[in-house]
């Protein structure tokens, strides 16, 4: 059972006097507190530290914690260049990289980014899958690649990742198409369904798709992305999470809860809610801490660390 944390790389999570260089110290603190992984968000243009830059800074500053993206948008980068950057982070971290990918969402978090990248919105899922296939070919040392979108007859040697075949690549999303593709093509699944029952259904469908493709179910890591706020005062915690939701997504908490897993309340209530996801199969939980300055983020990090033993014990039940 792995429990990781999302680094607060966006300015919506920084106070007016915060120094973003503290993010490296934040990552080291999370490692000392017993978290299994450090994840970062991605976007083409947004007020946050660029994802791969952040991971490159963390690679030599940490020793054992896994490093990951949640989720990287590969279509918005040159695919060969991205493969080299990811291999570099994997090498610099000693093979600790996990790459969760996605294709973006309709609305302001997806379509405008494709327009800025001069890419069609239509066909984005096929582009995503082929980009990942190209990465894996480069990481395996292939001399050529022939796909529907990318064709390279003579690929020069690329940097070999620390692990044979390259870092594991997970898929975000929970549409029927995403579930089928995760089962056929990817090494893990990182969704954020607000209802544990939906997580259970999705994981069942992924494993069925994997079986149809001749893959063992154990080849796919069942992960979960969830926002949490630990507060003994329930209403105070919800107010803080509401402010976080409005600053980050421009929507109130009650709307965010309809589309993403969000857990607030005293520690025992947060553990109880997380245990429901563990009970239906989640085995790598990535916690996003709902706080709007680095001091509060650090406080929530320490509170969340206290939950790790109980959540891990639930996985053994």
């Amino acid at each position: 059972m792995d429990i990781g944390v999302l680094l607060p790389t966006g300015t919506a999570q920084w106070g007016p006097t915060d120094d973003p260089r503290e993010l490296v110290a934040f990552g080291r603190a999370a490692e000392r507190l017993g978290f299994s992984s450090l994840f970062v968000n991605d976007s083409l243009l947004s007020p946050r530290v660029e994802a791969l830059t952040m991971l490159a800074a963390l690679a030599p500053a940490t020793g054992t914690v896994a490093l990951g993206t949640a989720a990287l948008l590969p279509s918005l980068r040159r695919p060969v260049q991205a493969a080299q950057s990811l291999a570099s982070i994997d090498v610099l971290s000693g093979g600790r990289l996990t790459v969760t990918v996605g294709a973006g969402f309709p609305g302001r978090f997806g379509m405008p980014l494709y327009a800025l990248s001069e890419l069609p919105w239509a066909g984005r899922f096929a582009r995503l899958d082929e980009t990942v296939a190209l990465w894996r070919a480069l990481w395996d040392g292939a001399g050529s690649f022939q796909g529907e979108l990318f064709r390279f007859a003579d690929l020069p040697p690329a940097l070999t990742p620390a692990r044979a075949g390259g870092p594991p690549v997970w898929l975000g999303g929970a549409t029927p198409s995403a579930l089928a593709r995760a089962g056929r093509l990817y090494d893990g699944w990182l969704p954020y369904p607000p209802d544990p029952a939906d997580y259970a259904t999705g994981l069942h469908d992924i494993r069925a798709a994997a079986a149809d493709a001749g893959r063992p179910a154990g080849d796919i890591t069942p992960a979960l992305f969830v926002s949490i706020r630990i507060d003994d005062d329930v209403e105070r915690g919800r107010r803080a999470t509401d402010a976080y939701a409005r600053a980050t997504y421009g929507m109130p908490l009650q709307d965010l809860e309809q589309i993403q897993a969000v857990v607030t309340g005293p520690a025992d209530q947060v553990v109880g809610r997380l245990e429901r996801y563990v009970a239906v199969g989640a085995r790598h939980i990535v916690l996003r801490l709902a706080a709007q300055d680095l001091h509060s983020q650090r406080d929530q990090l320490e509170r969340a660390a206290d939950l790790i033993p109980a959540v891990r014990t639930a996985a053994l039940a």
Side-chain angles (χ1 to χ4, degrees), residues 32-104:
R32 288 195 302 270
L33 288 167
F35 287 91
S36 303
S37 58
L38 302 172
F39 278 74
V40 295
N41 272 338
D42 183 39
S43 181
L44 176 66
L45 282 175
S46 68
R48 67 161 58 100
V49 177
E50 194 274 328
L52 302 188
T53 303
M54 188 73 249
L55 294 183
L58 289 167
T62 56
T64 59
V65 69
L67 305 176
T69 59
L72 193 73
L73 301 171
S75 296
L76 308 184
R77 292 171 166 82
R78 296 284 187 179
V80 173
Q81 182 183 26
Q84 185 79 346
S85 296
L86 293 168
S88 298
I89 294 169
D90 197 53
V91 166
L92 291 172
S93 67
R96 291 184 282 130
L97 179 63
T98 294
V99 187
T100 306
V101 298

Side-chain angles (χ1 to χ4, degrees), residues 65-292:
V65 69
L67 305 176
T69 59
L72 193 73
L73 301 171
S75 296
L76 308 184
R77 292 171 166 82
R78 296 284 187 179
V80 173
Q81 182 183 26
Q84 185 79 346
S85 296
L86 293 168
S88 298
I89 294 169
D90 197 53
V91 166
L92 291 172
S93 67
R96 291 184 282 130
L97 179 63
T98 294
V99 187
T100 306
V101 298
F105 300 95
R108 68 187 181 99
F109 295 106
M111 298 174 72
L113 304 183
Y114 276 74
L116 286 170
S117 300
E118 300 179 323
L119 290 171
W121 180 248
R124 62 193 181 279
F125 300 118
R127 180 178 293 274
L128 172 63
D129 293 345
E130 191 164 306
T131 297
V132 173
L134 173 58
W135 290 351
R136 288 169 168 162
L138 287 163
W139 294 336
D140 280 337
S144 64
F145 182 85
Q146 299 297 320
E148 295 296 323
L149 299 171
F150 306 117
R151 296 180 178 86
F152 300 100
D154 188 14
L155 286 169
L159 180 66
T160 302
R163 282 171 290 184
V169 184
W170 299 356
L171 184 66
T175 64
S177 172
L179 299 175
R181 290 163 45 239
R184 294 196 316 269
L185 304 171
Y186 289 86
D187 304 307
W189 180 48
L190 182 62
Y192 45 61
D195 188 340
D198 292 333
Y199 187 92
T201 300
L203 186 56
H204 174 272
D205 292 348
I206 285 174
R207 288 172 171 167
D212 289 343
R215 302 181 65 199
D219 286 356
I220 303 167
T221 300
L224 171 74
F225 185 90
V226 55
S227 299
I228 70 166
R229 174 81 186 198
I230 304 169
D231 198 313
D232 293 335
D233 186 315
V234 174
E235 289 306 315
R236 182 177 60 198
R238 287 191 62 82
R239 287 195 300 272
T241 309
D242 180 73
Y244 179 90
R246 293 175 187 272
T248 303
Y249 287 103
M251 67 174 67
L253 174 59
Q254 62 182 10
D255 291 346
L256 184 64
E257 289 174 315
Q258 302 303 309
I259 57 176
Q260 291 190 13
V262 182
V263 183
T264 65
D268 59 339
Q269 292 185 19
V270 173
V271 168
R273 182 69 182 279
L274 295 178
E275 286 177 344
R276 293 178 59 197
Y277 287 98
V278 173
V280 295
R283 288 298 179 269
H284 194 136
I285 298 177
V286 180
L287 304 176
R288 177 169 59 180
L289 308 174
Q292 290 182 269

